[in-house]
Amino acid sequence: MDIQELEAFWWIAQTGSFNRAAERLFLTQPSVTARIQALEKDLGQTLFERKPRGVRLTDAGRALLPHAERVLQDIRKARQALRELEMASGGTLSVGSALTTSTYTLPRILSRFKGQYPSVDVSVRTGRSQQVQQLVLDDTVQLGLTHGPLSNPEILAVPLYNESIVLCVPPGHPLAGRSIVTAEDLAPEPFITADRHSGYWSLVEQFWAASGLSPRVTMELDSIEAAKRMVVARLGIGMLPASTVELELAKKELVSVPVEGAEYLVRETLLIHRKGKVWSGIANAFLETLAAEYGVEIPTGRLDD
Amino acid sequence: MDIQELEAFWWIAQTGSFNRAAERLFLTQPSVTARIQALEKDLGQTLFERKPRGVRLTDAGRALLPHAERVLQDIRKARQALRELEMASGGTLSVGSALTTSTYTLPRILSRFKGQYPSVDVSVRTGRSQQVQQLVLDDTVQLGLTHGPLSNPEILAVPLYNESIVLCVPPGHPLAGRSIVTAEDLAPEPFITADRHSGYWSLVEQFWAASGLSPRVTMELDSIEAAKRMVVARLGIGMLPASTVELELAKKELVSVPVEGAEYLVRETLLIHRKGKVWSGIANAFLETLAAEYGVEIPTGRLDD
DNA sequence: CCCTACCTATCGAATTTATCTATCGAGACA
DNA sequence: TGTCTCGATAGATAAATTCGATAGGTAGGG
């Protein structure tokens, strides 16, 4: 019996599928099969009924499940106990962060982190995605929060969350009432962009390239925040990452409209780290905070890269 | 973090020594070192202070210990839960047993086993050590209880307990009052033996060979039980395994006297099984009963041979 | 009735990991 | 200052893990 086997068992029990469990464990399905076969051989009992549309727990599996959960829970607690012991003696967390991330998501994360580990100092350096990656490679920061694509095989990433790029128009704008719009509808409109070197812009470019049209870019700002203000001031329309306009949408200062063909315009936010680097306790603690915030489960041994 | 690592950690914490832990885990010391180093790297903290006369827990180690114990405990409970589920549906346990073992220790074990798993049938076949080993090789029995030495590399053994070979004399015998006797004292006495092909006899032979003397064998019986009766009937003296004369010593029908040079005359009782054989649930349950009875801890994965 | 989609098992190769034996080095003890 | 004990390390070998590719088998759609 092995923790990784129990972890695979638990995920399969949750998802009802070897394939989906493999996905959550960052493994291929044959590896998950192997783990379960090892566990079943060890226990001498079949744990799942294999069905064509997935699997179901056998009686033995049902008997094991609560015990497996306790073991996994205990291990999490053990890690947490040692982490708190370590954090109590202070130290510094240094993260690099993409500009958008540092404005819209990092504050929430860091406040949570400081709440849990008050004696740890935090240092943040911001920059574009590429710069953040360089900071990680240099060991200037322990971790980076940024977006794809990754430029160097020495950098490894854990995906944290995805957000859509949404079309934003001022309230009362002719497009504001539409249930869906097309690239043709957008092309004549004055289009406001943030810095074209910004990471998310390449996604917007992909959208326009796919449509065969070009936006009529009337203003180019050097930050998303500034671009957003321009749209609010009715100077044009823009396509912006969802997290940056959350507040304005809620306050009705902006209206978002679905765009045909832009459904898969998604920007992923990644936690990146340098391959082969030993994780400090502080880095682990921060990762744990992130995992809790975004509901990501990081499987045992995922970070031994 | 790994169960085997936690197990190593626990044993080191108990014994205060990597070497002693290695012994209990049926490993070499470098393997234990490797496990602890892996655990320490994983947790990012040192768990033991290495001292020249052993090791002591660090603060981090002290914090981990209770959690490790809970994990190991939960895993034991998980195994037990599945075992009971399996046993409930019945089945048969077949063991081979050496003659002495079947008379003196097996009854107690089997009564305990049947108490825990009433619906399992038990079948016992007895024979000499060599015959028991053959039964295991043939798959006629699932497990064997016997003594060394092992004659075949296909047989693997778990040591259960050791017992001394003790010199027994009738009460009132001239040697009975002595605090210790030598081979010279014994040589003139009428010596009663059980079957010379019996496993324990080779140990007695070693003793005489080391002393350079020979016993005056006046009676040779075909069972230890019969030999013992002869000594009780004051027909001579004998050297017998401790477990066979426990009762008579308690009832003062026999007296045991320490013999110089016979301190290391020890017979070990082994649980044997065939290499590569998959352990049935019933065999595992029986092993668990034996382990509990003799206070033996069987480490995780010990039986995957 | 067949076809497609989905799901798990298996195989072989490449890689990684674990274990052993032998040896080293540091500190306690006499 | 030897000698002993104990843990760390090195190198070799054996074993386990993982992956990609593929087989096999069942349900649902046409």
Side-chain angles (χ1 to χ4, degrees), chain B residues 189-219:
Chain B
E189 297 288 332
F191 205 78
I192 297 174
T193 78
D195 188 342
R196 296 203 188 200
H197 299 99
S198 164
Y200 94 95
W201 181 246
S202 63
L203 287 169
V204 179
E205 271 184 325
Q206 278 170 33
F207 163 74
W208 284 108
S211 74
L213 300 171
S214 292
R216 190 162 70 85
V217 176
T218 55
M219 300 187 74

Side-chain angles (χ1 to χ4, degrees), chain B residues 150-171:
Chain B
L150 300 179
S151 57
N152 191 311
E154 286 298 298
I155 291 183
L156 298 177
V158 180
L160 291 178
Y161 64 90
N162 295 326
E163 64 184 327
S164 316
I165 309 294
V166 298
L167 173 68
C168 297
V169 303

Side-chain angles (χ1 to χ4, degrees), chain A residues 1-3 6 41-45 47 59-60 63-64 67-68 70-71 74-75 77-79 81-83 85-86 278-279 281 284 300 304, chain B residues 1-3 6 41-45 47 59-60 63-64 67-68 70-71 74-75 77-79 81-83 85-86 278-279 281 284 300 304:
Chain A
M1 188 155 10
D2 179 343
I3 290 171
L6 290 177
K41 185 184 165 193
D42 176 17
L43 297 172
Q45 279 164 291
L47 297 170
D59 288 346
L64 178 60
H67 292 96
R70 263 223 300 291
V71 170
D74 288 344
I75 283 174
K77 281 188 192 157
R79 291 203 124 93
L82 266 77
R83 198 146 38 223
L85 188 72
E86 195 180 3
V278 178
W279 281 64
N284 268 306
T300 300
D304 301 4
Chain B
M1 186 152 20
D2 179 344
I3 290 171
L6 290 177
K41 185 185 165 193
D42 177 17
L43 298 172
Q45 279 163 289
L47 297 170
D59 288 345
L64 178 59
H67 292 96
R70 264 225 301 292
V71 170
D74 288 343
I75 283 174
K77 281 188 193 156
R79 292 203 123 92
L82 267 76
R83 197 143 42 222
L85 188 71
E86 193 180 4
V278 178
W279 281 63
N284 268 306
T300 300
D304 300 4

Side-chain angles (χ1 to χ4, degrees), chain B residues 57-103:
Chain B
L57 285 171
T58 60
D59 288 345
R62 250 185 301 284
L64 178 59
L65 187 55
H67 292 96
E69 278 175 348
R70 264 225 301 292
V71 170
L72 297 174
Q73 182 68 18
D74 288 343
I75 283 174
R76 251 167 283 165
K77 281 188 193 156
R79 292 203 123 92
Q80 184 60 20
L82 267 76
R83 197 143 42 222
E84 278 169 4
L85 188 71
E86 193 180 4
M87 296 305 104
S89 54
T92 300
L93 169 71
S94 58
V95 290
S97 170
L99 290 165
T100 335
T101 314
S102 69
T103 311

